[in-house]
Amino acid sequence: MDTYSGGFLHPDSVMAINPFLIIVAVWSWVKWLSVSTLIIGGASYIGYLFTPDWREIVDSKHYYSNWKIRVYLSLPFNTASRVIGGLANQEIPIWLREHLLGGFARIYDCRMEECVDPDFKNYRSFAAFFNRKLRESTRPISHDYDVDKFLGDVELPAKDELDLYQVVIYLAPGDYHAFHSPARWVANQCRHVPGLLLSVRPTLVVLNGSWRHGFFSMSAVAATNVGDIVVDAEPSLRTNIVRRKTQKIMNTETEIHAPFLPGERVGEFRLGSTIVLVFQAPPTIKFAIKAGDPLRYGQSLVADGV
């Protein structure tokens, strides 16, 4: 007869555990959880696509009724922009900066010899690298002119002797990401237009003001993957934040008084996008650039006529 002795069970009384059965049970549970997640997530996404949102509520004939556009606009652009903006500000280990920033500079032909500090190891993040300071002697301000205007709710002074002009400047990923004043002017309004971070409906920050020829405005345009726009004259401005649906179509206007000199820093992109200058000037103006020309900070946009 088997007996209990010394506090231990006899080996024959212990039930053997088959590891294979445990693996099968865990795998079955994982499959069930995965399938359930896909079904619930898919059903929720389809329901979201066919539930009217603020665009259709505001305008029942809005283009958003097209399901392809709804799918495209349902992608998390704001979240992606915040993630990319966060990554751009993330500190890079010193040992990796030469390889990471140096490789980026070689790909996009960044001219480090024009920087105050050409050493990649001294830039703690991509944001710091994008807004690297340039040597004053490298790109002197070559022309004293004033420029800018944003076409929104602003009325232009009616002057027969003036025409309306615009200049669109695109910032590639490898370009210097701060933007500077192209002229001597005064900004008296900061206008923020929240958008969807898309090429067809971007976020806008517009500085409206005047110069010696009339209206003058400088617009910073943020499309896909632009984490944030910073305007030095309006430090309270926050462009890439989570907003309620009703706030996504609300423009904000703030009265400011910000005089600028040619070449003076106005703000920066947390990753690049586009600057739009719209301004009044005499018809005798002669531009020093043409469509498609590469530009550098300090380069003249106007040759004569102002």
Side-chain angles (χ1 to χ4, degrees), residues 62-113:
H62 196 274
Y63 65 87
Y64 194 66
S65 58
N66 185 308
W67 71 270
K68 293 181 181 179
I69 296 178
R70 295 199 67 170
V71 170
Y72 179 65
L73 295 180
S74 68
L75 299 177
F77 290 109
N78 283 283
T79 300
S81 294
R82 283 190 288 273
V83 169
I84 292 176
L87 291 176
N89 286 282
Q90 188 67 32
E91 184 172 358
I92 302 172
I94 295 179
W95 62 269
L96 187 58
R97 294 175 187 177
E98 183 75 30
H99 302 285
L100 196 58
L101 298 178
F104 187 91
R106 286 188 293 272
I107 292 174
Y108 290 100
D109 191 26
C110 302
R111 306 184 182 217
M112 298 304 294
E113 69 275 6

Side-chain angles (χ1 to χ4, degrees), residues 227-267:
D228 204 356
I229 299 175
V230 175
V231 175
D232 296 344
E234 182 54 35
S236 63
L237 177 68
R238 295 293 182 272
T239 60
N240 191 21
I241 59 175
V242 178
R243 302 178 187 275
R244 295 179 179 178
K245 291 183 178 180
T246 56
Q247 295 176 322
K248 291 182 179 181
I249 56 175
M250 294 178 59
N251 302 338
T252 59
E253 296 181 356
T254 305
E255 299 300 319
I256 62 174
H257 178 75
F260 293 105
L261 296 175
E264 185 175 351
R265 174 187 157 106
V266 178

Side-chain angles (χ1 to χ4, degrees), residues 113-127:
E113 69 275 6
E114 297 180 346
C115 302
V116 173
D117 187 358
D119 190 351
F120 293 110
K121 294 181 180 179
N122 293 331
Y123 297 98
R124 61 178 297 275
S125 65
F126 267 105

